[in-house]
Every structure is written in C-alpha cells, then in structure tokens.
C-alpha cells in the first residue's frame, strides 16, 4: 500500500526523524488556515504548497510551488486543488489532486547553497536483507543519477538480525561528505529512518530530497512510503491511511472480493487459479498472438460467486476481445467450477459479448467438459494447454 507524502512524513516524525513540517488541506481556505498555523508554530513566513497524489516528479509537473504570503497561498491552492497533475510518473491524463500539503519553507532565503541528498531504505530480495541506498546527488531523479554517475550512488546492506549498526550510520554520513554537527545529525537521521522502515513493516521508504540546512539540520523534505500489505494486519492505525482514490478502481474491487487482480494493456482476459498457472497462462496467450488484459488469480476456492465476480471485473475492461479460463482442479473440483462458469454466464448473459474458452483440468475434468459442452452457451472447452492456445488464436483471427 502506498502512502501520501504527508502520511509518510507523519510516520517518520513518530519515529524521531526530522521533517519539513506541514498541514494537509482540502480547500483553499483550509490551506490559508494551515499556513497561518504553521507561521505560529514555526515562525516561517513562506510556505510551499505541495499536491498530494501517489506519483513522484510533482515539482516538474507544477504540483509544488512556493508562496511568499497568504494571498499567494490561496492563489496557488486554488490552482493546484482539483487540477489534473501530469508528471513524468503519471499517465497522460494525470492524477486528480484532492488535497495539498501546506509546508514550511525550509530553503531559507539567506541559504545560498542548501545541500540535497537522496536516501532510501528498501528490501534487497536477492540478499534477503535490507538496504540503505543514498547519494549526495539528491533532489533530482535517482534514475538519472544512476545512469549518468553511478559512482555517486552508495549502498549499505543491513542485516535485519543485527539492525543498523552505529558504524554503518557513520559511514553514510561520511560518504555524504558531512562533518561536525551535520555529521551527527545525519547519523541520527539514518538510524531513525531505518527504525521507521522496520517497525512500520515497510518495503520502501524513499526520501528525496533529504535537506541539510545552513544551520546543519537534516530534514526529510519529501517521502515515498510503501507499506507491506501482508503486514498491515499488525498496524491498525496505518490501515486507515489507504486512499482508494489513488488506486485502480478494478483492483480495489478485486481486493474486496478477495481476488488478486492486476490490470494490463492486452486484449485477452484471463481467469486462473494460482499465481504460477496465471503466469503460465499469460505466456500461453502471448504465444497464441494475443496480449493478456489482466493477471487474475481467483485463488483456491473458485466457486460460482468468485467466478462471477472475476467475470464482472474482466468484462469492465473494454479492451477484452476474448476470455480464457484456465483452472486446475486440485482442491476444487472442476465440475463445481464448470457449474460456476455456467451460472455466472447465465447471470451476466447479456453483458458477455466476447468468446470464452474454458480449460478445466484435474479432478472431475471430464464431467466439467460435459457440463460446459451441454450448457448450450457460447463457451468453448479445451482439455490441453495447446488446445486452449489454438482456440484463443482462432477467435482472435
Ligand atoms: P517531487 O517533485 O514529487 O519529488 O516533490 P518534492 O517534495 O521532492 O519537491 C520537489 C522540489 O520542490 C524539491 O526538490 C525542492 O527543490 C522543492 N522544495 C520542496 N520544499 C521546498 C521548500 O520548502 N522551499 C523551496 N524553496 N523549495 C522546496
Ligand atoms: Mn521528491
């Protein structure tokens, strides 16, 4: 689950990471109130107004702007709230902005050279360990840094069994070229950031930029946080941070129905049980000259209700020209699934305008084929993988 910048910063702050402070607002008037409150609390005269959407590169798309007085706060908030923000990380249509973070300006006017760094903590799956990735070249795309000056990117592998050791935090500060107070502040920053990452069960904490102010404080100016969905049950207080407006509506619906669904660009919808078989089915579709329209794992209990829900999801996708159902009946019996398919088909009948190919293999597969073949519906059954592929090819051509 991805978080908004302001939510990530709140978590960081709760673990003692210094942040650029801010207050979230959903209307221009609220933005003005937020700015007034921040001035009282921090003494800041200038504010940055930052669009809160799940996408990076907001600065480039005009979603981060500096306001030098309350009038400008209001003007900028009017402009940003409700806009469709297009950034290098969004689609062409962009993302609608529902709220802004009104933050204190931390790039003080007298500060001739604020230093910006990049820092992230993430899971290194290859090593089965955590990794801190950091660079003195912050504030810009880390991908660009990686491409042009890969030697400017450092990594520190952290064994989850020992946690971040003090010498490692010092190494990070050293490699960023810091000394004196800034060095100390950076070691505290890294340690607190690592703690936030592990204790929140996250798979990513990315701070770009990390700012060193002229008075040698270290601040998180931005945050990109991905919480591990599988660990969310341990964090009731984080569950409410989910903003479904930022997610693909079909994927949200699927999650609610207990289906694993990922929307893709192709023309063949697929309904499969088991993630491995789902991947193999996608390969099969490609081999047959199609492109998978989705990844859909209906799970171990492919009963009529789930099959119908899965149908509904696939049919919402206008790109779909054919549907391939590929179920292996191990725990589930194929005849139950076949009945489910027929029942769902009857319930959705007039909505289904594309050919359907069903391959049911495993327990009671013969019975299942009989049910499909005798249903009188526009459903073709296949027994072998190759047969299914051939039929997909046939209906697409
Ligand atoms: P992103 O573009 O989505 O990564 O959003 P960021 O939060 O990283 O902000 C983009 C850029 O806005 C930063 O790299 C900064 O250069 C700038 N910025 C952020 N906060 C401030 C601030 O307090 N004052 C000023 N002047 N610029 C800021
Ligand atoms: Mn950023």
């Amino acid at each position: 689950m991805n978080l908004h910048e302001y939510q990530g910063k709140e978590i960081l702050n709760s673990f003692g990471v210094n942040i650029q402070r801010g207050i979230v607002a959903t209307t221009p008037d609220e933005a003005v109130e937020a700015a007034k409150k921040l001035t009282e609390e921090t003494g800041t005269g200038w504010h940055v107004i930052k669009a809160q959407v799940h996408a990076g590169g907001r600065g480039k798309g005009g979603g981060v702007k500096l306001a030098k007085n309350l009038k400008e706060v209001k003007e900028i908030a009017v402009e940003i709230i409700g806009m469709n923000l297009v950034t290098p990380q969004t689609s062409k249509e962009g993302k609608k902005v529902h709220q802004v973070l009104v933050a204190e300006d931390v790039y003080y006017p007298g500060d001739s050279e604020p230093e910006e760094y990049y820092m992230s903590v993430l899971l290194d799956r290859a090593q089965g360990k955590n990794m801190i990735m950091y660079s003195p070249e912050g504030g810009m795309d880390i991908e660009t840094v990686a491409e042009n000056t890969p030697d400017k990117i450092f990594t520190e592998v952290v064994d989850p069994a020992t946690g971040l050791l003090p010498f490692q935090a010092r190494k990070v500060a050293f490699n960023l070229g810091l000394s004196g107070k800034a060095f100390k502040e950076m070691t505290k920053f890294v340690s607190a950031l690592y703690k936030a990452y592990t204790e929140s069960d996250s798979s990513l904490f990315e701070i770009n930029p990390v700012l060193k102010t002229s008075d040698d404080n270290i601040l998180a100016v931005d945050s990109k946080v991905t919480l591990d969905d599988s660990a969310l049950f341990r964090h009731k207080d984080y569950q409410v941070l989910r903003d479904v407006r930022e997610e693909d509506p079909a994927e949200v619906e699927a999650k609610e129905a207990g289906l694993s669904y990922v929307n893709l660009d192709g023309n063949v919808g697929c309904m499969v049980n088991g993630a491995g078989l789902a991947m193999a089915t996608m390969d099969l579709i490609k081999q047959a000259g199609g492109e998978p329209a989705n990844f859909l794992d209906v799970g171990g209990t492919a009963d009529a209700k789930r099959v119908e829900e899965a149908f509904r999801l696939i049919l919402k996708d206008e790109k779909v020209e054919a549907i391939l159902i590929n179920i292996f009946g191990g725990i589930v019996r194929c005849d139950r699934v076949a009945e489910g398919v027929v029942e769902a088909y009857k319930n959705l009948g007039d909505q289904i305008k594309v050919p359907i190919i069903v391959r049911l293999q495993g327990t009671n597969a013969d019975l299942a084929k009989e049910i499909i073949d005798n249903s009188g519906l526009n459903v073709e059954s296949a027994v072998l993988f190759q047969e299914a592929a051939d039929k997909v090819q046939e209906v697409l051509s």
Side-chain angles (χ1 to χ4, degrees):
M1 177 173 103
N2 292 329
L3 299 184
H4 284 294
E5 172 197 0
Y6 79 95
Q7 296 168 327
K9 279 175 160 173
E10 276 166 20
I11 295 179
L12 285 169
N13 194 38
S14 73
F15 285 97
V17 180
N18 285 333
I19 55 163
Q20 171 195 45
R21 283 166 294 180
I23 298 171
V24 74
T26 53
T27 65
D29 286 334
E30 269 178 41
V32 172
E33 285 312 305
K36 282 186 193 158
K37 199 153 168 240
L38 272 177
T39 301
E40 274 169 32
E41 285 172 14
T42 69
T44 186
W46 293 5
H47 299 86
V48 265
I49 315 299
K50 313 179 79 177
Q52 298 298 289
V53 290
H54 288 186
R58 295 163 301 163
K60 286 196 193 104
V64 177
K65 287 195 170 161
L66 183 67
K68 296 184 178 170
N69 52 51
L70 292 178
K71 188 166 158 274
E72 287 182 11
V73 168
K74 182 137 185 181
E75 284 166 6
I76 295 170
V78 165
E79 184 189 323
I80 294 183
I81 297 172
M83 84 187 282
N84 273 323
L85 181 61
V86 181
T87 85
Q89 293 185 17
T90 66
S91 64
K92 284 195 298 292
E93 292 79 41
K95 289 205 129 182
K96 187 159 172 101
V97 181
H98 299 283
Q99 46 192 358
V100 290
L101 180 64
V102 180
E104 59 175 334
D105 173 28
V106 285
Y107 291 62
Y108 315 126
D111 209 343
S112 54
E113 273 190 30
E115 290 277 347
E116 293 181 316
Y117 314 115
Y118 170 92
M119 192 173 298
S120 59
V121 190
L122 62 155
L123 182 64
D124 181 349
R125 290 177 195 274
Q127 302 199 53
K129 290 181 178 157
N130 294 318
M131 187 200 272
I132 299 176
M133 195 185 288
Y134 60 103
S135 171
E137 303 291 314
M140 56 185 105
D141 274 351
I142 197 64
E143 289 81 5
T144 312
V145 181
E147 182 138 355
N148 299 338
T149 48
D151 53 308
K152 292 269 175 68
I153 295 182
F154 299 91
T155 53
E156 187 67 30
V157 173
V158 183
D159 194 320
T162 60
L164 180 72
L165 297 170
F167 87 89
Q168 295 183 294
R170 289 198 295 273
K171 195 162 133 201
V172 171
F174 180 81
N175 282 336
L176 290 174
L178 300 174
S179 60
K181 180 188 168 194
F183 185 96
K184 265 203 193 124
E185 288 296 321
M186 183 55 85
T187 60
K188 274 197 257 169
F189 184 93
V190 178
S191 308
L193 172 61
Y194 185 80
K195 191 165 188 247
Y197 165 85
T198 49
E199 295 195 10
S200 62
D201 286 315
S202 293
S203 52
L204 174 71
F205 252 95
E206 183 184 58
I207 320 291
N208 189 23
V210 173
L211 178 74
K212 179 175 87 67
T213 60
S214 49
D215 47 0
D216 284 342
N217 281 317
I218 307 292
L219 296 177
V221 170
D222 192 4
S223 84
K224 179 180 177 178
V225 176
T226 307
L227 299 175
D228 183 346
D229 286 324
S230 306
L232 263 184
F233 73 96
R234 301 209 287 207
H235 302 280
K236 294 267 181 305
D237 48 334
Y238 296 162
Q239 287 167 12
V240 297
L241 300 180
R242 183 154 172 216
D243 188 346
V244 290
R245 294 173 300 191
E246 298 290 324
E247 297 174 15
D248 182 320
E251 290 178 18
V252 171
E253 199 184 321
K255 212 176 275 177
E256 275 158 16
L259 306 165
S260 305
Y261 174 88
V262 181
N263 198 0
L264 302 168
D265 293 332
N267 54 354
V268 182
C270 35
M271 187 191 310
V272 191
N273 67 336
L277 188 57
M279 301 297 250
T281 305
M282 287 158 71
D283 284 350
L284 179 85
I285 289 169
K286 262 198 119 95
Q287 222 170 32
E291 285 285 339
N294 63 276
F295 169 97
L296 200 169
D297 174 8
V298 290
T301 53
D303 55 20
K305 201 165 152 281
R306 283 167 93 89
V307 170
E308 186 173 331
E309 189 58 47
F311 259 135
R312 272 187 211 285
L313 275 170
I314 297 174
L315 291 172
K316 277 196 184 150
D317 186 345
E318 284 164 8
K319 303 183 302 291
V320 168
E321 292 168 31
I323 298 176
L324 173 57
I325 302 177
N326 192 3
I327 303 274
F328 177 74
I331 298 168
V332 289
R333 282 162 36 204
C334 291
D335 54 325
R336 281 293 305 128
V337 179
E339 279 164 10
V341 170
V342 174
E343 207 175 305
Y345 199 107
K346 282 181 181 153
N347 286 343
L348 295 169
D350 53 341
Q351 292 178 47
I352 304 180
K353 300 199 169 65
V354 295
I356 297 176
I357 299 128
V358 183
R359 173 181 178 261
L360 290 161
Q361 194 56 279
T363 313
N364 289 356
D366 298 346
L367 207 55
K369 189 167 167 13
E370 233 176 86
I371 294 171
I372 299 285
D373 290 345
N374 296 336
S375 67
L377 302 172
N378 183 18
V379 181
E380 290 204 61
S381 65
V383 176
L384 302 173
F385 229 67
Q386 190 53 51
E387 233 181 304
D390 293 343
K391 290 201 163 147
V392 169
Q393 206 156 26
E394 237 168 74
V395 300
L396 287 179
S397 58

